[in-house]
Amino acid sequence: MSEINSGTIIDGRYRVLSRIGSGGMADVYLAEDELLSRQVAVKVLHHRFVDDQEFVERFRREASSAAGISHRNVVAIFDRGQWNDTYYIAMEYLPGQSLKALIRDRGALEPDTAVAITIQILNAAQYAHSRGVVHRDIKPHNVILSDDGRVTVTDFGIAQAGGSDITHTGSIMGTAQYLSPEQAQGQPVTAASDIYAVGVLLYELLTGRVPFEGDSAVAIALQHLSAEPLPPSSLNPNVPAALDHVVLRALAKDPQARYADAPQFIAALQTARGALSSGPPTEQHTPAFAPTTAATAGPLIGQGLVVGLPSQPTEAGSPPSGTHSGSPSRRRWWWAALAVAVVAGAFVAAIALSSSKSNVTLPTLTGQSEAIAIARLKALGMKPSVTRQSSVGAPAGAVIAQRPRAGTVVQSGTRVYLTVSSGPAVVEVPSVTGMIEAHALRALRAVGLEPTVQSQPSRHVRVGYVISTNPPAGLEAVQGTPVTVEVSSGPAGSTSKSRVHVPNITGLPESAAAAALSSVGLAVGTVTERGSSSQAPGTVLAQTPAGGALLASGGSVELVVARATSEVEVPDVVGSTRTGAEATLRATGLSPATTTRSVTNPAENGTVLEETPETGEKVKRGETVTIVVGTLSEQVTTTTTAPTE
């Protein structure tokens, strides 16, 4: 939507004074709340998002979540509503500047100042995390330094509604530089992602630049996934080794390797603060800063420490003639020289490392686009090799297989083979005219087509057989294309047989299968026997047509049943009752014979104590198996029961 003019009253309450900011998803205006006579900041959603109902609902829901957070380091949400075909949020107005503007104007901050600011940001993050709200987009643009020295985080929770912004040109670059590796891969976002983003922010406060930069969002995201950041001290010699360690742990690729939560991060920062008291390495390498005046910036308050922000840097000692020691141009020259040295050092190191092999764990590449998969492999020092294969389930250009597989540890320089989908293949529609319906459907599915059946009267084609297909046979079609199969229902107006659904009879005994078919007007057709060690003889192993197919009433279904084998395995019946053991043996095809043995333990009365032949032994079908059953008696008596036919 176009800019809102000064004097416009939003929703009958907020009178616009001026526009104070603009972003990828909304404009922010300074307004006067005429109901409560106070100044507020009103964020108005860009009109292009209004028709996206899912986006709007998330925007409203997240605004409600943020409104439930009340903390001195989190911007307060006062109101939200709908106005002039869009949506707005009224929030606390914070006079001051964004942290991004401060970094842009002054470059790297003193380590103690950077730590003080970061601790306040982590206090805000911890408060929100404890209430189930994850920011998802912590960056200097969303941190305000108020005139009274307060550090305030904005857009808590609302950032999730802007998640789809990542595909919009202009908003992706600012966000991509602060994305955690799991966000770059599209994985679920947790509080650990906020810890990573705060690590990036602290890195920028200490060095004046983000750890990863690139020409595109994809290039930056790939660095988040695979590149290791330079230690902040390599760009700013004022940063002690202890603070290097804190920053690099927060930037760990694995969320589990980062700080468990914001309090743990804060504790590490406070411990590293002790190293700051030792001072910079040498005076000649450390710029000295002039005191801050009230006109340039307010004090920053962090954990009870009042820190002044420098207005302009001036190097210690006498400057060369004709040059102001604190001028921005001299400072830029100093940082440019340092940057050149760092880049040159990194280049030399890269050449040195290229001659040696290192172990790399291959990431998961299936499902990603070919371009991203290749870029990730090259970033890891791998040699990608691509072959293409048609696929119905994957879009063209997506990786559908990789070799070696994900998680394999290989040496750098190893060739990794990627199979990339070329999309669905083009196939020729097979001729199924004159086939029975079930066989026709099977032939069409075999080439990747999706058949659907449509009944059609016919005087010349038997009921249940295919008349024609659309598209017709011989025509080329993309796999996945629906094909209408016209099946004869007999002459129009005739008393032809109706069509019924074939029941699924697989797994039933042959007699039960025949009864099930008969109940719907079908009969058993050809029966073929097949050996099976896992199914009882006579069990239906397969059927044609399959269950669910349509068949003319009176038709027949072909069966494949399990064949009786000449040998069976003696089942384990020890511990069973006499009746149960005899039933089990008969069901296996064996003939039980029973003897008794006197026992004194009541628990053994009526229980099978032994069996001969023993459990697991293979015997001929019909052979006798003798079981010994316990009988509670003082005298030993033995009787024998003749084998049962």
Side-chain angles (χ1 to χ4, degrees), residues 185 187 225 361-369 372-373 376-377 380 399 401-402 404-408 418:
Q185 291 180 299
Q187 296 176 1
L225 290 169
T361 302
L362 290 179
T364 300
L365 302 172
T366 52
Q368 298 186 359
S369 70
I372 288 182
R376 290 185 66 184
L377 288 174
L380 294 172
V399 177
Q402 67 181 94
R405 62 186 180 184
T408 304
L418 302 177

Side-chain angles (χ1 to χ4, degrees), residues 178-324:
Y178 305 89
L179 283 181
S180 64
E182 57 269 25
Q183 282 176 283
Q185 291 180 299
Q187 296 176 1
V189 178
T190 65
S193 301
D194 282 353
I195 296 295
Y196 185 92
V198 174
V200 176
L201 187 149
L202 176 57
Y203 190 104
E204 189 173 5
L205 290 174
L206 293 170
T207 66
R209 49 158 283 187
V210 291
F212 304 119
E213 294 177 317
D215 296 332
S216 67
V218 172
I220 297 171
L222 288 174
Q223 292 181 74
H224 281 297
L225 290 169
S226 57
E228 294 299 329
L230 294 171
S233 60
S234 66
L235 302 176
N236 181 0
N238 284 341
V239 178
L243 197 51
D244 268 345
H245 175 75
V246 173
V247 175
L248 295 179
R249 179 174 175 183
L251 295 179
K253 308 298 181 189
D254 182 1
Q256 299 298 322
R258 299 172 204 152
Y259 295 106
D261 50 30
Q264 190 181 74
F265 196 168
I266 292 172
L269 286 173
Q270 290 173 333
T271 301
R273 246 182 182 172
L276 299 176
S277 61
S278 61
T282 60
E283 184 68 23
Q284 62 188 19
H285 294 299
T286 306
F289 294 100
T292 301
T293 64
T296 56
L300 294 179
I301 306 172
Q303 298 296 309
L305 175 66
V306 179
V307 185
L309 289 179
S311 56
Q312 290 185 350
T314 58
E315 289 188 342
S318 301
S321 176
T323 303
H324 191 282

Side-chain angles (χ1 to χ4, degrees), residues 469-560:
T469 60
N470 184 24
L475 194 69
E476 289 188 340
V478 176
Q479 284 182 324
T481 298
V483 176
T484 302
V485 182
E486 293 186 347
V487 177
S488 172
S489 59
S494 68
T495 57
S496 60
K497 296 178 180 179
S498 61
R499 302 171 69 213
V500 296
H501 286 280
V502 177
N504 183 11
I505 53 177
T506 304
L508 297 178
E510 184 178 350
S511 57
L517 292 174
S518 177
S519 67
V520 295
L522 300 175
V524 175
T526 304
V527 178
T528 305
E529 289 189 333
R530 181 195 302 165
S532 174
S533 59
S534 60
Q535 297 289 345
T539 302
V540 177
L541 304 177
Q543 65 182 94
T544 304
L550 286 172
L551 192 63
S553 180
S556 60
V557 177
E558 300 173 0
L559 304 181
V560 176

Side-chain angles (χ1 to χ4, degrees), residues 379-521:
L380 294 172
M382 301 294 109
K383 296 178 180 178
S385 180
V386 176
T387 57
R388 303 191 185 279
Q389 177 180 312
S390 62
S391 173
V392 178
V399 177
I400 56 178
Q402 67 181 94
R403 182 169 57 86
R405 62 186 180 184
T408 304
V409 178
V410 298
Q411 285 190 328
S412 59
T414 299
R415 186 167 295 280
V416 178
Y417 298 90
L418 302 177
T419 304
V420 177
S421 170
S422 57
V426 176
V427 297
E428 183 177 300
V429 178
S431 176
V432 295
T433 301
M435 288 186 181
I436 193 170
E437 177 188 329
H439 294 171
L441 298 181
R442 188 182 307 159
L444 291 167
R445 292 190 180 108
V447 297
L449 300 175
E450 296 294 335
T452 56
V453 176
Q454 181 177 314
S455 296
Q456 185 72 23
S458 174
R459 296 177 58 87
H460 307 289
V461 179
R462 287 185 297 170
V463 174
Y465 286 77
V466 177
I467 303 171
S468 63
T469 60
N470 184 24
L475 194 69
E476 289 188 340
V478 176
Q479 284 182 324
T481 298
V483 176
T484 302
V485 182
E486 293 186 347
V487 177
S488 172
S489 59
S494 68
T495 57
S496 60
K497 296 178 180 179
S498 61
R499 302 171 69 213
V500 296
H501 286 280
V502 177
N504 183 11
I505 53 177
T506 304
L508 297 178
E510 184 178 350
S511 57
L517 292 174
S518 177
S519 67
V520 295

Side-chain angles (χ1 to χ4, degrees), residues 603-617:
E604 295 180 337
N605 185 37
T607 302
V608 176
L609 305 176
E610 296 177 7
E611 62 179 325
T612 306
E614 295 181 351
T615 301
E617 199 172 322

